[in-house]
Amino acid sequence: MGYFENIKLSSYRNFERLELDLIKSSNVFFGKNGAGKTNILESISLFNKGRGFRNDKIINLVKKDSENFLNITNYNLKNNSYEIKVSSGVKNNKIFKDTFLNGDKSPSSKKFINSCFSFIYFLPDMERLFLSNPSFRRNFIDRMIFSYNNEYNKLINMYKKNIIERTKILNDNNYDEAWINNIENNIVTNGLEIYGFRNNQIEILIDQLGILKKKQRYPFDINIRLNDESSYNLNKEKYLNILKMNRESDKFAGGSKIGPHKSDFVFTVDKNYDASQLSTGQQKTIVLLILIAQCNYLIENKKITPILLLDEICSHLDETNRYLLLELTQSFDIQSFMTGTDETLFSFLSTNTKFYNITNKWQIVTHQNL
């Protein structure tokens, strides 16, 4: 398994400096709101490809009145320790994220770094996953795919870029037919590929949830389906024809009436009971079960050891959800990071848990359950 041995932050968010030694099992950050607990989780997520789980602008990561931030970790992979640095840099008056492996930032080093990490997230707004807008559920499923395919975000970004480019072309009354045909061909190719990945991810989750249900007495039978009528029996020729027919209406509306950016996902339990009608605690149960299923798939099928980042995880923790959180964090041989306002919220955790009291930006108090 891979795990973070430590982390050192300089001029990151609210921290002037922060240094933590980490353990390879469960790490819990607790303290008052605003102490910076979520910022620590975000700093860890930044070692992965992209801009972290908040997807914020790099300039917002730099502490006020500082020029740049620097995050350093020693990451242990197969008993080899690698120093990985993430910092902000400036090029052509634009602030960007830069990554170094043992001081080197060559493409091969960055490729190696990207291959090291797989993250599974729980963020507080996931408790309203089934009540939120469709884009939130799309992002939820897409993050699952990204946990084993770190090129998937590139596909999503290419698709979005072509949708935007098509809109610009359509608003040029003298556009070149060959040009827009090429863009629409790219949209169709990428769009069908995204549909394929998402449908496959649904099948993975349903299959894994079924396996777990047989092993444990979990409270729900969960079903997931793609809700997108335009995707039914959609092939390349049909997709291209629809885009061509919709050019005029898409010109005024912007974007495209059809495609994976319009999809939604429907989650039901037992006999097709909509998950959005369950209590908040029950909805959290379903999310935790899905995260367990995804971890099980990564470990058993992909031979990938994910790292858990669980922010404000202890709300709505009844007996069932405490059991599921314990199952998620301590039945797999993986490293986890959790945040909460009070240490007692995590009293149900067993041994091999290290607690960090984030009291303010200057002082960190730690102790460990052995």
Side-chain angles (χ1 to χ4, degrees):
M1 64 174 285
Y3 62 92
F4 293 92
E5 297 175 340
N6 51 47
I7 189 167
K8 301 175 184 178
L9 309 181
S10 298
S11 300
Y12 184 82
R13 293 286 193 183
N14 66 308
F15 295 107
E16 182 69 36
R17 290 188 63 81
L18 175 71
E19 296 187 13
L20 297 175
D21 290 322
L22 307 167
I23 62 172
K24 63 179 182 180
S25 50
S26 296
N27 299 267
V28 173
F29 307 119
F30 68 94
K32 294 180 180 179
N33 292 327
K37 305 181 299 294
T38 302
N39 292 341
I40 298 173
L41 260 61
E42 180 192 42
S43 72
I44 295 170
S45 73
L46 269 178
F47 290 108
N48 200 16
K49 199 174 183 179
R51 300 203 302 258
F53 61 59
R54 283 178 173 140
N55 199 32
D56 204 353
K57 295 179 180 178
I58 300 300
I59 191 173
N60 293 336
L61 308 181
V62 182
K63 191 177 188 300
K64 186 178 180 181
D65 299 326
S66 299
E67 292 184 0
N68 62 339
F69 76 84
L70 176 63
N71 299 351
I72 304 175
T73 188
N74 290 99
Y75 188 74
N76 191 300
L77 183 64
K78 298 179 180 179
N79 294 320
N80 293 310
S81 186
Y82 301 91
E83 183 191 72
I84 302 176
K85 297 181 183 179
V86 173
S87 67
S88 55
V90 180
K91 186 176 182 179
N92 298 327
N93 294 321
K94 292 184 178 180
I95 298 179
F96 67 98
K97 168 187 158 183
D98 213 356
T99 310
F100 303 80
L101 175 68
N102 295 331
D104 180 55
K105 64 172 186 175
S106 65
S108 60
S109 290
K110 293 185 178 183
K111 184 177 181 180
F112 176 81
I113 292 171
N114 291 336
S115 71
C116 288
F117 305 117
S118 175
F119 286 101
I120 297 291
Y121 302 111
F122 177 88
L123 306 177
D125 47 10
M126 286 182 183
E127 291 187 354
R128 297 182 60 81
L129 173 67
F130 313 113
L131 297 170
S132 298
N133 57 52
S135 67
F136 191 84
R137 287 183 286 279
R138 290 194 296 270
N139 289 337
F140 179 76
I141 294 295
D142 286 344
R143 276 179 170 168
M144 297 280 181
I145 300 169
F146 184 68
S147 69
Y148 56 86
N149 181 355
N150 60 25
E151 294 296 313
Y152 181 67
N153 274 12
K154 186 184 294 185
L155 173 64
I156 293 290
N157 291 334
M158 286 172 56
Y159 175 79
K160 291 178 180 178
K161 181 180 178 182
N162 282 304
I163 290 288
I164 293 170
E165 182 67 17
R166 177 174 178 264
T167 300
K168 291 179 180 177
I169 295 171
L170 289 175
N171 280 283
D172 181 355
N173 293 325
N174 297 315
Y175 63 77
D176 180 78
E177 186 72 19
W179 185 17
I180 195 168
N181 285 341
N182 182 60
I183 294 296
E184 289 179 344
N185 188 72
N186 291 339
I187 290 172
V188 168
T189 300
N190 293 339
L192 290 174
E193 195 171 355
I194 293 168
Y195 277 129
F197 276 118
R198 288 177 175 172
N199 280 319
N200 183 61
Q201 179 60 38
I202 290 173
E203 292 176 6
I204 288 169
L205 290 176
I206 291 174
D207 181 59
Q208 290 297 317
L209 287 165
I211 292 171
L212 294 174
K213 179 74 174 177
K214 291 178 182 178
K215 293 181 178 179
Q216 304 283 352
R217 293 183 178 179
Y218 289 140
F220 295 116
D221 287 316
I222 302 169
N223 189 48
I224 310 166
R225 65 177 176 84
L226 178 70
N227 185 18
D228 186 341
E229 292 183 4
S230 65
S231 71
Y232 301 153
N233 300 317
L234 191 65
N235 56 36
K236 186 170 184 178
E237 182 181 2
K238 182 179 178 181
Y239 199 162
L240 284 169
N241 286 335
I242 294 173
L243 287 178
K244 191 169 185 178
M245 286 190 303
N246 288 348
R247 284 178 183 176
E248 195 64 25
S249 57
D250 286 345
K251 171 183 176 180
F252 294 102
S256 172
K257 287 182 179 179
I258 71 162
H261 63 293
K262 294 290 188 180
S263 296
D264 196 1
F265 297 89
V266 177
F267 296 78
T268 55
V269 298
D270 301 333
K271 296 181 180 180
N272 291 323
Y273 191 80
D274 197 314
S276 65
Q277 301 303 306
L278 298 172
S279 70
T280 304
Q282 289 174 314
Q283 291 183 44
K284 186 167 188 171
T285 299
I286 297 173
V287 173
L288 290 174
L289 284 169
I290 290 172
L291 296 185
I292 293 171
Q294 184 69 6
C295 279
N296 197 65
Y297 172 73
L298 293 175
I299 293 168
E300 297 297 329
N301 295 72
K302 290 292 188 177
K303 309 307 176 187
I304 293 173
T305 305
I307 290 171
L308 299 176
L309 298 179
L310 311 175
D311 191 27
E312 297 297 340
I313 189 65
C314 286
S315 63
H316 303 104
L317 278 191
D318 58 10
E319 183 179 352
T320 298
N321 287 345
R322 280 195 297 272
Y323 169 76
L324 291 176
L325 183 55
L326 195 64
E327 179 86 0
L328 178 61
T329 57
Q330 303 197 348
S331 66
F332 301 110
D333 185 20
I334 57 179
Q335 189 176 39
S336 63
F337 299 92
M338 293 171 272
T339 69
T341 55
D342 195 318
E343 180 182 3
T344 59
L345 295 171
F346 300 91
S347 60
F348 63 93
L349 292 176
S350 59
T351 57
N352 294 323
T353 300
K354 189 172 183 178
F355 293 86
Y356 308 76
N357 185 4
I358 314 298
T359 56
N360 54 50
K361 60 185 178 180
W362 308 113
Q363 181 183 8
I364 308 296
V365 180
T366 70
H367 71 88
Q368 186 171 348
N369 287 351
L370 299 176

